Amino acid sequence: MNASLLSDDNPSIGVYTRSIGSGAEWWRVSLSERAFMYRIEHGRDDGSVDIDTVVDQENLDAKLQKWHREGYLSETEREQLAAAPQASADFMADLARASNAFAQSTVRTATSRSTAQVVTIGRIDVPLGTPNPLVPAVNPAWLFTERFNDIVEDIVENRRVMLIGHTGSGKTSLIEQIAARAQYGVLRSNMNGQTTVGDFVGFWTVKGGETVWVDGVLPAAMREGRWLIVDEVDFAEPAILAVLTAVLEPGGRLLLKEKGNDIVEPHPSFRLFATANAVGAMSQFRHLYQGANLMNEAFLDRWRVYLIDYLSPDEEAEVLMRTLAPHLSQTMAHTLAAIAADCRAAFAREDLASAFSTRRLLDWAQLMLRTGDPERAAGPAIYAKVSPEDAALIRSIIRHYIATQA
Ligand SMILES: Nc1ncnc2c1ncn2[C@@H]1O[C@H](COP(=O)(O)OP(=O)(O)OP(=O)(O)O)[C@@H](O)[C@H]1O
Ligand SMILES: [Mg+2]
């Protein structure tokens, strides 16, 4: 035999068996007489050998894959498996126990502070704040779905929450509606525009001949225990991101260098939120949100980032009903929700360049009720906001569902 072949340390060489049936069936891989070729034999249950052939590496790899699918393992693979920690089944069993114990301990914590008044949002008890003019109005039509429970829980735990998703998917209103029900004042600051570090942090100004400091939106929210929503954070200038990073740690304090190194401590009710359209899992849509910046991982890692998708057609029909019943019928609501879903599917296929928001759908439905004419209502609510090509495609989707006069 060729000396170089003897030193071949191909790990695939060995006998492959499986632990089903009699376990007597096997495949054997050995070095062949020819360089870079392997001998394969197949042993049957009855002790006979019915295949004895020579293959190249590529062919061998394909065979190995097939054997693995069928449950054959070599001696070495069996040893490796036995040495490895028990796979995911054990981990999941441990996790189930840990998670139950964790839930028990948090229930205990919740009851021990039961003197505080709470309001239940979804499945989560949220401590009540105090009424003040900055508390948003409750929108009774707003639908809390099961997937929002985790976010509400994060807010109770004082985590920093970033919501990402397409325009009009419900990011800002989710926070506002939680705040409305739990009675916390909300301040919003939009980064896509003229928000300067001065607006955000504060500045000196002259009032009645005196130079006074005016808190920006961040220290104001921190001192007064407001919930601050930093909208479109992916458009924020680097100086603002740097300031934000400082307060992202739980209990993070803000140092106002401009105000003689004044330190702002966060009020216990202070919460910080960000929304973005094109960050992280949404970065594939960056071309739709021109000017959005990539956020670095260190910044993103300081947030719990939730992807807020559009409501399902059934949920959206329910929101339409809650908002516009009794004028709108169930059937009408479902038809409109189906149109929105079709437009979104066309958007996902890149047949449409514009997203179809819940906001747009509600507006169209409202205008339709006033005008009695879906096509006329679609003008200002939809068509005028998109390109002529998009308008034509949306019109054809609408006509598929609603027989309007041409
Ligand atoms: N779960 C919901 N229940 C009821 N209405 C909803 C829901 N989600 C979204 N909406 C409706 O959609 C509108 C738009 O939502 P919102 O302004 O929160 O979107 P957004 O994601 O913040 O959009 P943008 O990225 O453009 O800021 C809301 O005013 C509300 O009417
Ligand atoms: Mg928003």
Side-chain angles (χ1 to χ4, degrees):
M1 194 181 275
N2 186 320
S4 70
L5 282 180
L6 281 175
S7 65
D8 190 329
D9 56 357
N10 190 322
S12 314
I13 286 169
V15 179
Y16 292 75
T17 54
R18 58 180 174 177
S19 45
I20 57 168
S22 68
E25 196 180 349
W26 53 262
W27 289 92
R28 181 189 294 133
V29 180
S30 53
L31 295 173
S32 91
E33 297 289 320
R34 292 165 53 199
F36 308 114
M37 300 291 279
Y38 299 89
R39 180 175 173 197
I40 292 180
E41 296 158 277
H42 179 232
R44 289 157 51 113
D45 269 348
D46 59 13
S48 64
V49 174
D50 64 345
I51 297 176
D52 190 348
T53 178
V54 171
V55 300
D56 62 10
Q57 180 73 54
E58 199 178 332
N59 206 325
L60 173 64
D61 287 344
K63 297 245 185 291
L64 284 168
Q65 276 184 18
K66 179 170 174 284
W67 299 339
H68 283 153
R69 279 199 301 275
E70 292 170 357
Y72 287 95
L73 292 174
S74 72
E75 196 60 25
T76 329
E77 284 168 337
R78 266 182 224 291
E79 278 163 17
Q80 281 166 354
L81 209 63
Q86 287 289 303
S88 60
D90 276 1
F91 184 90
M92 293 312 291
D94 284 351
L95 180 60
R97 272 189 296 275
S99 171
N100 269 333
F102 182 79
Q104 291 301 324
S105 70
T106 35
V107 166
R108 236 171 282 130
T109 331
T111 40
S112 66
R113 56 157 194 252
S114 62
T115 41
Q117 278 197 305
V118 295
V119 57
T120 307
I121 301 177
R123 278 191 285 102
I124 312 299
D125 285 347
V126 183
L128 261 183
T130 37
N132 70 76
L134 289 173
V135 175
V138 170
N139 172 0
W142 217 90
L143 185 71
F144 283 93
T145 61
E146 179 64 29
R147 57 183 183 272
F148 295 145
N149 282 313
D150 281 340
I151 298 172
V152 180
E153 203 159 358
D154 279 353
I155 296 174
V156 174
E157 284 182 6
N158 199 0
R159 308 270 174 189
R160 307 301 183 221
V161 173
M162 182 187 292
L163 304 178
I164 59 172
H166 283 304
T167 176
S169 59
K171 302 179 291 297
T172 309
S173 55
L174 168 61
I175 305 303
E176 284 179 339
Q177 288 308 306
I178 298 169
R181 284 160 177 80
Q183 310 234 323
Y184 291 93
V186 173
L187 291 172
R188 284 173 61 179
S189 184
N190 197 309
M191 295 296 130
N192 190 2
Q194 292 81 37
T195 308
T196 61
V197 189
D199 301 328
F200 200 63
V201 171
F203 53 90
W204 290 103
T205 185
V206 179
K207 245 188 207 160
E210 236 184 285
T211 311
V212 291
W213 171 262
V214 181
D215 263 347
V217 69
L218 177 64
M222 289 177 74
R223 289 189 218 274
E224 290 152 28
R226 309 292 180 216
W227 291 11
L228 174 60
I229 307 178
V230 181
D231 269 324
E232 305 192 61
V233 72
D234 41 349
F235 285 83
E237 54 176 284
I240 291 186
L241 291 182
V243 173
L244 264 182
T245 307
V247 296
L248 283 176
E249 306 300 328
R253 302 181 305 172
L254 174 66
L255 178 72
L256 293 176
K257 285 196 216 96
E258 300 82 350
K259 201 188 169 196
N261 285 339
D262 181 22
I263 290 173
V264 186
E265 297 277 350
H267 183 286
S269 303
F270 168 67
R271 295 290 183 277
L272 184 61
F273 304 90
T275 72
N277 296 120
V279 158
M282 289 292 292
S283 27
Q284 52 174 322
F285 299 107
R286 275 186 75 216
H287 57 287
L288 297 171
Y289 300 98
Q290 282 186 8
N293 300 310
L294 273 178
M295 311 252 74
N296 72 45
E297 278 187 31
F299 184 75
L300 283 183
D301 272 347
R302 290 175 159 78
W303 301 83
R304 290 258 165 96
V305 182
Y306 289 90
L307 181 61
I308 305 294
D309 212 342
Y310 290 118
L311 296 169
S312 71
D314 281 350
E315 290 165 348
E316 208 156 38
E318 191 178 335
V319 169
L320 280 164
M321 286 302 289
R322 287 187 188 203
T323 316
L324 298 169
H327 310 292
L328 202 72
S329 73
Q330 281 278 3
T331 329
M332 286 168 78
H334 276 100
T335 304
L336 295 181
I339 292 172
D342 268 16
C343 290
R344 286 171 200 152
F347 173 74
R349 289 194 308 270
E350 300 199 16
D351 287 347
L352 269 184
S354 49
F356 203 99
S357 66
T358 302
R359 196 190 287 127
R360 188 172 281 183
L361 182 66
L362 282 166
D363 190 40
W364 179 39
Q366 254 150 1
L367 196 51
M368 194 183 308
L369 286 176
R370 199 178 80 193
T371 59
D373 182 346
E375 184 63 20
R376 209 174 110 207
I382 308 172
Y383 301 150
K385 299 174 184 170
V386 302
S387 70
E389 299 78 42
D390 276 11
L393 180 54
I394 297 172
R395 183 178 285 114
S396 72
I397 293 174
I398 294 174
R399 290 206 175 144
H400 177 76
Y401 286 91
I402 307 175
T404 56
Q405 269 119 42

